[in-house]
Amino acid sequence: MMNELEQALVEKYDIHFEDEHLLLEALTQANYLNEHPEEKGDDYQRLEFLGDAVMQQSTAVYLFKRYPDWDEGRLTELRISMVQTRSFAALSRELHLDRYIRLGRGEELSGARQRDSLLEDIWEAFIGALFLDQGQAVVMDFLDKILFAKIDEGFFDQFVDYKSKLQEYLQQDGPVVIKYDKLDEKTLANNDQIFTVEVAVNDEKLAIGKGKSTKSAEKDAARTAYQQLVQTK
Amino acid sequence: MMNELEQALVEKYDIHFEDEHLLLEALTQANYLNEHPEEKGDDYQRLEFLGDAVMQQSTAVYLFKRYPDWDEGRLTELRISMVQTRSFAALSRELHLDRYIRLGRGEELSGARQRDSLLEDIWEAFIGALFLDQGQAVVMDFLDKILFAKIDEGFFDQFVDYKSKLQEYLQQDGPVVIKYDKLDEKTLANNDQIFTVEVAVNDEKLAIGKGKSTKSAEKDAARTAYQQLVQTK
């Protein structure tokens, strides 16, 4: 089992774990050890403590250097959307870490293997193990490929509530009226629907958004409007 | 002014800043720049964003390696007491950073120069600047001398509410009766008073503490009791 993971790490990311006990520790949940007293070693929690901090610093250093013109508010905002449960759970799944977790029986039965909170912990523990085994530079290279590259794909947008952000931004100097109006609704050949929505503040048009539902079109419009406003500030 | 700081860094910590603009940025508050439009450069806030994360990781890595037998709960607890406002403000004062902050006039008048929250920000910004200028290894060496060494002096105990911790610990399996009894009260030659207090749970004596007030003697007793209980767990 573990060999598959180690092989995937070598092939996709050129990562060669020296101490595979560390990798195993990162994938071992406490109750598994209770149920297997013959097993030596620790569960993932100490490595999670370490990896949590490594993720925070690695992401902060990357964003600081990549966006020299951004103020700390924008940097913090993007960091929060990157360093959080749903993002880390998605990374665990991308690396198929979920397959290799050594879980207690009760946790297995309750569906913990697919739970975001466990997959977040496991991601942090994996990064803690990688940091100890290979050092900061290898962690940064790896995150470059698997995490930072996703910024340009807009991957982290899904974790940001742009309608709230837009509202907060527009109401800085007092109350305003923000309206979302549906401009268009089309049904495609494959039966998907595409909605087009416009967002306006005090009757001034700000941006247009598209999506497969009214809600996602509104979110798209809010994101475009918010990003335009922040960039031209 | 700045030369004094740079000289102190060299003499006490063998730190030679390459780019003194970074050091200046770490010590510059936003309104100072508003009032001095002729000044180029940035305020400390981006460096604070960076230094905050560097402090988190540096401390986590140090504690993880120093205490191989501690579980993540104890590690987290000590880290929280180290990486927090009052601790960072004390470090800023120890380095006399407060003297060198370039403050706006309004902030100066309102006493911000001695405010813990500003001194915390300045400490983080200073660490961000040091990280950029000298790299992780120099930051770790520096923190070894100025921060980590204080663990053995019990410096961070002052930031921990041991009475609450003891209560939490003892009540894990249901309610208990915790009592603090004054055993003794002495007045020393210099007129200082020394109080001696005993803490007991359900009439079982746990520990004795001493202090210059009943409150500090109770805290001392709680700390001793808590640390004994956690260590023998």
Side-chain angles (χ1 to χ4, degrees):
Chain A
M1 273 288 273
M2 282 282 291
N3 289 341
E4 272 176 50
L5 174 58
E6 288 179 80
Q7 213 178 319
L9 287 171
V10 170
E11 283 169 12
K12 281 184 82 170
Y13 301 103
D14 199 23
I15 288 175
H16 305 251
F17 252 86
E18 293 275 333
D19 179 359
E20 56 176 31
H21 291 102
L22 270 175
L23 187 54
L24 200 61
E25 182 175 325
L27 294 163
T28 301
Q29 192 250 342
N31 274 340
Y32 178 88
L33 292 178
N34 294 338
E35 293 166 10
H36 296 80
E38 75 286 3
E39 287 265 355
K40 279 163 206 139
D42 252 331
D43 66 45
Y44 66 71
Q45 293 184 87
R46 275 175 49 89
L47 289 172
E48 177 202 350
F49 166 85
L50 183 67
D52 169 46
V54 172
M55 286 303 303
Q56 294 285 351
Q57 174 173 323
S58 305
T59 307
V61 169
Y62 177 84
L63 294 177
F64 183 94
K65 292 187 173 170
R66 171 154 177 192
Y67 300 107
D69 299 328
W70 283 20
D71 67 24
E72 71 293 347
R74 282 187 80 186
L75 293 171
T76 302
E77 202 168 273
L78 182 49
R79 192 192 54 182
I80 288 173
S81 76
M82 294 170 72
V83 176
Q84 53 123 308
T85 308
R86 281 189 292 168
S87 165
F88 288 178
L91 294 172
S92 271
R93 290 193 181 95
E94 181 170 340
L95 217 56
H96 303 304
L97 294 182
D98 51 325
R99 294 183 195 165
Y100 306 103
I101 305 170
R102 305 199 300 174
L103 264 186
R105 236 168 304 156
E107 285 74 15
E108 190 73 84
L109 288 171
S110 76
R113 191 178 291 278
Q114 280 314 317
R115 206 166 287 148
D116 278 5
S117 56
L118 175 69
L119 294 176
E120 173 188 23
D121 293 349
I122 293 290
W123 176 260
E124 292 173 341
F126 173 75
I127 290 297
L130 186 61
F131 176 85
L132 288 178
D133 197 71
Q134 301 281 318
Q136 183 85 63
V138 169
V139 169
M140 285 303 273
D141 275 357
F142 173 64
L143 292 178
D144 227 18
K145 292 176 198 159
I146 199 167
L147 179 67
F148 305 146
K150 289 184 168 60
I151 296 173
D152 298 310
E153 300 162 14
F155 180 79
F156 303 105
D157 285 352
Q158 63 182 304
F159 305 134
V160 180
D161 176 1
Y162 279 109
K163 285 179 74 173
S164 299
K165 290 222 155 296
L166 180 64
Q167 186 175 345
E168 228 171 76
Y169 183 89
L170 293 170
Q171 294 189 338
Q172 286 174 91
D173 305 315
V176 294
V177 179
I178 301 168
K179 267 178 69 180
Y180 292 88
D181 281 319
K182 190 164 76 179
L183 300 184
D184 190 34
E185 178 178 345
K186 260 186 217 149
T187 304
L188 303 180
N190 64 358
N191 269 335
D192 272 1
Q193 285 188 298
I194 295 289
F195 297 82
T196 305
V197 163
E198 182 181 75
V199 58
V201 59
N202 295 340
D203 291 331
E204 180 197 346
K205 293 169 189 179
L206 286 181
I208 281 176
K210 288 178 185 293
K212 290 183 180 176
S213 65
T214 315
K215 205 175 148 193
S216 84
E218 287 180 0
K219 192 174 165 181
D220 187 51
R223 184 183 53 73
T224 306
Y226 177 74
Q227 287 175 344
Q228 282 170 358
L229 288 165
V230 170
Q231 261 154 38
T232 56
K233 192 164 62 165
Chain B
M1 276 286 273
M2 281 283 289
N3 288 341
E4 271 174 50
L5 175 58
E6 288 178 80
Q7 214 177 317
L9 288 171
V10 171
E11 284 170 12
K12 281 184 80 171
Y13 301 102
D14 199 24
I15 289 175
H16 306 251
F17 253 87
E18 293 275 331
D19 179 0
E20 56 176 31
H21 291 103
L22 270 176
L23 188 53
L24 200 62
E25 182 175 325
L27 295 163
T28 302
Q29 190 253 342
N31 274 340
Y32 177 92
L33 292 178
N34 294 337
E35 293 166 10
H36 297 81
E38 76 285 2
E39 288 266 353
K40 277 162 206 140
D42 252 329
D43 66 45
Y44 67 71
Q45 294 182 90
R46 276 176 47 89
L47 289 172
E48 178 202 348
F49 166 84
L50 183 65
D52 169 45
V54 172
M55 285 304 302
Q56 293 285 351
Q57 174 173 324
S58 304
T59 307
V61 169
Y62 176 83
L63 294 178
F64 183 93
K65 292 188 173 170
R66 171 154 176 192
Y67 300 107
D69 299 327
W70 284 20
D71 67 22
E72 70 294 347
R74 282 187 81 185
L75 293 171
T76 302
E77 202 168 272
L78 181 51
R79 192 192 56 183
I80 288 173
S81 75
M82 294 170 73
V83 176
Q84 53 123 312
T85 307
R86 283 189 293 167
S87 164
F88 287 177
L91 294 172
S92 271
R93 290 194 181 96
E94 182 171 339
L95 218 57
H96 303 304
L97 294 181
D98 51 324
R99 295 184 193 163
Y100 307 103
I101 304 169
R102 305 200 300 175
L103 265 186
R105 234 167 306 158
E107 283 76 15
E108 191 72 85
L109 289 171
S110 75
R113 190 177 292 278
Q114 280 314 317
R115 207 166 287 148
D116 279 5
S117 56
L118 175 68
L119 294 176
E120 173 187 21
D121 293 350
I122 294 291
W123 175 261
E124 292 172 342
F126 172 75
I127 291 296
L130 186 62
F131 176 85
L132 288 177
D133 197 70
Q134 301 281 318
Q136 183 86 63
V138 170
V139 168
M140 285 302 272
D141 274 357
F142 173 64
L143 292 178
D144 226 17
K145 292 175 197 160
I146 199 167
L147 181 67
F148 305 147
K150 290 185 169 60
I151 297 174
D152 297 309
E153 303 163 11
F155 180 79
F156 303 107
D157 285 351
Q158 62 182 305
F159 305 135
V160 180
D161 177 0
Y162 279 109
K163 286 180 73 174
S164 300
K165 289 222 156 297
L166 179 63
Q167 186 175 346
E168 228 171 77
Y169 184 88
L170 292 171
Q171 293 189 339
Q172 285 175 91
D173 305 315
V176 292
V177 179
I178 300 167
K179 267 178 69 182
Y180 292 87
D181 280 319
K182 191 163 78 181
L183 299 184
D184 190 34
E185 179 179 345
K186 261 186 217 149
T187 305
L188 303 179
N190 65 358
N191 270 334
D192 272 2
Q193 285 187 297
I194 295 289
F195 296 82
T196 305
V197 163
E198 183 182 76
V199 58
V201 59
N202 294 342
D203 291 327
E204 180 197 346
K205 292 170 189 179
L206 286 181
I208 281 176
K210 288 175 184 294
K212 290 184 181 177
S213 65
T214 315
K215 205 175 147 191
S216 85
E218 287 180 2
K219 193 175 164 182
D220 186 50
R223 182 182 53 72
T224 305
Y226 177 74
Q227 288 176 343
Q228 283 170 358
L229 287 165
V230 170
Q231 263 155 36
T232 55
K233 194 167 60 167

